[in-house]
Every structure is written in C-alpha cells, then in structure tokens.
Amino acid sequence: MSMTGQCLCGAVSYTAEDVETEVHSCHCGQCRRWSGASIMAAGVSSVEFSGAEHIKRYDSSDWAQRGFCAECGANLFYYLKGADSYHMWVGTFDDQTPFRLTGEIYIENKPEGYNFAGDHPRMTGEEFMASMGGS
C-alpha cells in the first residue's frame, strides 16, 4: 500500500511504499520525551520526501535517528541506520483509518494515566530487545 503524509506546516511531505497497517506503540523514555507521550509508528519499505531540506535528524542512539521538520517541529520518523529502515509516525499520514494497534513495547515504562484497549501483545523493554536479538 502506498500512502502520503506530511508535517504540521506542510514544509515536508512524503510518499511511503508498502506501509504496514499493524502498528506498535512504544512507551520507552526516549519516545515519551520525544513526543510527549507514547508513539505509534508504521514500518514502510521505502519513503520519498518532498521538502527534505527541512528535515532535521537527531542521532538518538548509535543505531537510530529521529527525524522532524525544522520549520514546525513535527516529529516524522524513526530511522534504523543499519537496516536502512523507516518507521513513520502514524499521526503524520494523511489517511490514518487503515491503522490498528497490534502491540506495545516497553510496557513497564507506561505512565499509569492511560491504557490502550484491546487484546494485543505487551512486551517489556527486555523482552522486546531479546526479540530483536539484543540484550
């Protein structure tokens, strides 16, 4: 599935290919601090940006970057460097109706003030890292 999206001000827009509609929410400290709450991201096989000169990238770890619009500050993506893989923030897609929450990670960091409904897997950070082959 091909889908389009943009930042808040429209300086950055994109077309993403092979968009995964089953999304995960991350409750890790970095994602919560980055977005103000947990995030929901959709993996894509490729993405083409218009207005890429407005994208600012932040190396949040040795293996990942977070991208945002330098004009309006809207968070756009999480990029895994080694895998050359983008995970776009669901809220930036023009049409958000196809998405459904299918899992949560870093559940032990979730604030008590909210809970997502539904019967889906909830993994701790340790469980998630183990599933990715990390420690």
Side-chain angles (χ1 to χ4, degrees):
M1 174 185 322
S2 178
M3 295 181 72
T4 59
Q6 68 178 26
C7 65
L8 183 61
C9 72
V12 177
S13 60
Y14 63 85
T15 300
E17 300 297 330
D18 301 320
V19 178
E20 297 173 3
T21 57
E22 294 184 349
V23 301
H24 286 82
S25 178
C26 182
H27 302 284
C28 81
Q30 281 193 14
C31 283
R32 287 184 295 115
R33 189 163 304 274
W34 179 256
S35 68
S38 72
I39 60 92
M40 290 187 191
V44 301
S45 68
S46 65
V47 61
E48 185 174 320
F49 293 102
S50 177
E53 68 274 14
H54 299 287
I55 296 175
K56 194 81 166 140
R57 291 173 180 261
Y58 171 68
D59 287 321
S60 57
S61 67
D62 291 340
W63 64 88
Q65 293 178 329
R66 294 166 187 266
F68 61 97
C69 174
E71 302 302 317
C72 65
N75 300 322
L76 296 166
F77 59 79
Y78 185 77
Y79 174 72
L80 292 167
K81 298 176 191 178
D84 189 27
S85 172
Y86 283 89
H87 297 268
M88 306 304 293
W89 274 199
V90 169
T92 65
F93 284 98
D94 293 327
D95 178 9
Q96 297 163 26
T97 57
F99 299 107
R100 68 183 186 91
L101 181 65
T102 60
E104 297 177 62
I105 58 175
Y106 289 89
I107 195 70
E108 75 277 14
N109 299 116
K110 181 191 72 63
E112 291 296 320
Y114 63 81
N115 290 303
F116 293 126
D119 184 21
H120 53 262
R122 291 169 171 87
M123 299 171 78
T124 66
E126 185 175 321
E127 291 167 334
F128 173 69
M129 291 304 287
S131 76
M132 301 298 288
S135 53

